[in-house]
Amino acid sequence: MSQRIPILNVGIDTTSYTEICDRLTTLVQDHKSCYIVAANVHVVMSAYWDATYCQVLANAEIVTPDGMPLVWGLRSLGIGNQQRVYGPDLMLALCDRAARENLPIYLFGATAATLDKLEQNLRSQFPDLAIAGKHAPPYLDLYNPDFESQMDKDIEFIAQSGAKVLFVALGCPKQELWMSYAQPKLSMVMVGVGAAFDFHSGQVSQAPRWMMAIGLEWLYRFVQEPKRLWQRYLINNPCFVFLFAKQHLQRLLSK
């Protein structure tokens, strides 16, 4: 039975790939509109600085420990057997379950070229997977007054597709804000998967598994895109270590 454990001000669920796949089937059968967040340090720190975004995460159906620092954090807080639930791997696990349960999916995010390659790869890996549609939205500017109008058009188009599972790859925090906005308007399960479209389309290479296991995936990605990711890793990561150490110390002193 999963539970939600606070790391800084974000609740992280003690869950697994199998549990989420099982819940997916139930959620679809119940026609529940909800969203799943794969949380890493960037997500947690974004919520730490932004109360609105923090509430969006609190309203999520599931918040997975996507990054190894969160896995280690949960283990240090008493969840000794917690494993990583990594967004790109979760996407493949959910595609496998969707194929077996005949649940059509929809791909939303990235670019048209990425989506074409992604669809080709998914159909090759999961021949029985029903892909109800795909769409690469233009750059989403959260401060543009036409932002909600643009979202409503996309949401209406997705709703008409017949999809039961929607994968959203807009990056943090846009994909979580988008899913929160869409929740009352879409009767489906939405899953934020970040860079998964880029990885599974072959557009971007993933870090080796050994680097993931020891928490150095951030370094691999930083070397690939230093201009885009320097602030995320060189500011957020040290802040997270300091703040979580403070949380952990306070927990120990309160015993």
Side-chain angles (χ1 to χ4, degrees):
M1 184 69 178
S2 67
Q3 53 183 315
R4 187 162 285 191
I5 306 293
I7 292 185
L8 304 191
N9 57 344
V10 175
I12 308 296
D13 290 299
T14 59
T15 187
S16 66
Y17 295 110
T18 300
E19 181 179 348
I20 295 174
C21 288
D22 290 343
R23 285 182 68 179
L24 173 78
T25 304
T26 301
L27 291 167
V28 171
Q29 290 174 345
D30 293 343
H31 303 286
K32 184 166 183 180
S33 178
C34 61
Y35 54 94
I36 297 170
V37 174
N40 54 21
V41 167
H42 179 48
V43 169
V44 171
M45 291 308 301
S46 295
Y48 184 80
W49 308 123
D50 186 337
T52 299
Y53 183 63
C54 185
Q55 187 58 51
V56 167
L57 300 185
N59 293 339
E61 183 73 18
I62 305 170
V63 180
T64 82
D66 173 271
M68 284 307 299
L70 301 189
V71 174
W72 295 329
L74 289 175
R75 290 175 183 172
S76 73
L77 294 173
I79 313 300
N81 62 346
Q82 181 61 53
Q83 299 299 312
R84 186 183 190 189
V85 183
Y86 176 50
D89 287 352
L90 177 62
M91 178 180 171
L92 294 182
L94 291 174
C95 282
D96 180 63
R97 180 61 64 92
R100 289 193 278 123
E101 298 288 342
N102 192 29
L103 305 176
I105 71 165
Y106 196 102
L107 306 169
F108 183 74
T111 65
T114 296
L115 289 180
D116 288 342
K117 185 61 177 176
L118 174 63
E119 180 179 11
Q120 179 183 338
N121 290 348
L122 289 178
R123 290 192 186 279
S124 175
Q125 189 169 356
F126 307 105
D128 296 327
L129 180 65
I131 301 179
K134 63 183 189 290
H135 178 54
Y139 178 78
L140 295 176
D141 182 357
L142 301 180
Y143 303 101
N144 188 319
D146 295 328
F147 178 58
E148 291 189 359
S149 174
Q150 178 185 328
M151 286 198 298
D152 286 338
K153 291 177 182 177
D154 291 338
I155 289 168
E156 182 179 358
F157 196 71
I158 293 168
Q160 293 172 353
S161 72
K164 301 297 182 182
V165 182
L166 171 64
F167 291 108
V168 183
L170 302 175
C172 164
K174 288 181 182 178
Q175 65 192 16
E176 289 79 30
L177 295 171
W178 190 95
M179 292 189 295
S180 177
Y181 179 85
Q183 183 181 9
K185 304 166 186 268
L186 283 175
S187 181
M188 62 183 66
V189 180
M190 296 171 281
V191 188
V193 293
F197 286 13
D198 290 330
F199 293 152
H200 297 321
S201 66
Q203 303 290 94
V204 177
S205 64
Q206 294 190 68
R209 291 286 164 166
W210 68 265
M211 292 189 78
M212 293 186 186
I214 61 175
L216 287 179
E217 181 182 5
W218 70 270
L219 180 60
Y220 185 88
R221 294 194 65 191
F222 174 66
V223 170
Q224 288 182 312
E225 300 181 85
K227 288 184 179 180
R228 186 175 74 87
L229 298 176
W230 73 269
Q231 185 173 11
R232 176 187 302 189
Y233 294 134
L234 300 186
I235 295 179
N236 277 349
N237 285 10
C239 286
F240 174 81
V241 171
F242 171 78
L243 291 167
F244 182 72
K246 180 180 177 183
Q247 173 186 335
H248 197 47
L249 180 61
Q250 289 174 337
R251 175 176 175 268
L252 293 175
L253 292 177
S254 67
K255 286 186 175 181

